[in-house]
Amino acid sequence: LVIVLGGDGSLLGVARLSGSPPVPVVGIHHGEFGFLTESDRGGLYKTISRILEQPLHVQQRAMLAVTVLRRGRAAVRSQALNDAVVTRGTFSRMLTLEASVGDSSLGTYMGDGLVIATPTGSTAYSLSAGGPVVEPTMSAILVTPISPHTLSSRPLVLSDRSRLCVAVAPDCDDAVLTLDGQEWFTLERGDVVEVRRSRHRAAIVTAADGSFFEVLRTKLHWGARGDSPNGRRPGRSR
């Protein structure tokens, strides 16, 4: 068991390195945001005591295997728990990406880039870009355009058996790949980012009586109206 003190970023970094079979990871929120963490620092000792006294409730979370192909050879091999993001670099100009699933063309994406996310990552960058929320134990890969130039570019949910390839257009020389917002790679013209389900998984410790939807309500204020996090409008009663 690995106990991580920090925010979601710390937990993501440790989970990617947890090995195979994965070592269970529990997060104690001690950073900026703790959607994936099990408790805050005020509940540190209570959480540890519960873990030591009761059987662990571990969720196996899917990860992404990411390969950058450059002139037919693998230039980068890595993995991500939340997402792989292909986006523009330092210059504020539109990025053109050619996407395909298996042997089928998915189309041309013009905009600020693409977020390829796991269900765990559906509540991170993908959600901010307009992607759907997906239960973290589902088998899926999400494709969410970032500020697309056309109204026809909408988020997609693919089978986790899919092999998604994203090619940087020959006239684009300012693209980057980021993994979980922590690993950063410069992409060249013609590079192909291949994303598929990793054979490795992350083991995240969660509360046995916890609910993903409860976390949505309490941490993201899902379904709340106005300024009231409990879903009721201020000044009104039922």
Side-chain angles (χ1 to χ4, degrees):
L1 175 68
V2 177
I3 299 175
V4 180
L5 301 178
D8 284 349
S10 300
L11 189 146
L12 289 170
V14 172
R16 287 204 312 275
L17 302 174
S18 60
S20 181
V23 177
V25 177
V26 60
I28 305 297
H29 181 211
H30 206 283
E32 294 183 2
F33 190 67
F35 187 83
L36 297 175
T37 53
E38 180 57 26
S39 73
D40 57 25
R41 52 188 169 186
L44 171 62
Y45 296 108
K46 180 180 178 181
T47 300
I48 293 178
S49 297
R50 176 168 51 83
I51 289 173
L52 294 176
E53 295 171 0
Q54 303 175 10
L56 290 179
H57 186 259
V58 180
Q59 283 190 351
Q60 299 293 326
R61 302 288 185 90
M63 301 181 71
L64 299 175
V66 183
T67 304
V68 176
L69 300 173
R70 180 169 296 159
R71 292 180 286 277
R73 295 186 176 183
V76 173
R77 292 186 188 274
S78 192
Q79 58 185 8
L81 173 56
N82 256 6
D83 48 42
V85 180
V86 180
T87 187
R88 55 188 174 86
T90 55
F91 295 102
S92 181
R93 62 179 63 167
M94 189 163 55
L95 191 63
T96 302
L97 303 171
E98 299 287 344
S100 61
V101 179
D103 296 327
S104 300
S105 173
L106 191 57
T108 301
Y109 287 90
M110 302 176 69
D112 285 353
L114 280 177
V115 180
I116 302 104
T118 64
T120 298
S122 71
T123 52
Y125 195 173
S126 176
L127 179 62
S128 299
V133 173
V134 179
E135 282 193 81
T137 55
M138 289 185 64
S139 300
I141 295 176
L142 285 64
V143 182
T144 306
I146 306 171
S147 301
H149 187 254
T150 60
L151 294 176
S152 59
S153 293
R154 289 292 178 261
L156 288 174
V157 179
L158 305 176
S159 163
D160 69 341
R161 296 185 297 274
S162 302
R163 178 176 61 89
L164 176 68
C165 290
V166 179
V168 180
D171 58 346
C172 290
D173 56 1
D174 187 39
V176 296
L177 168 69
T178 59
L179 304 178
D180 287 343
Q182 297 178 346
E183 294 187 41
W184 188 89
F185 306 97
T186 300
L187 298 176
E188 298 181 2
R189 299 180 182 186
D191 279 358
V192 177
V193 179
E194 181 188 82
V195 182
R196 63 176 72 203
R197 181 187 63 191
S198 173
R199 60 187 179 89
H200 302 294
R201 286 181 171 264
I204 307 298
V205 177
T206 62
D209 56 350
S211 163
F212 171 68
F213 303 105
E214 180 181 353
V215 176
L216 279 181
R217 291 194 304 271
T218 57
K219 294 188 177 182
L220 291 185
H221 304 313
W222 193 262
R225 295 182 294 177
D227 297 326
S228 176
N230 61 8
R232 297 183 181 181
R233 292 183 180 178
R236 294 188 62 182
S237 60
R238 294 181 182 271

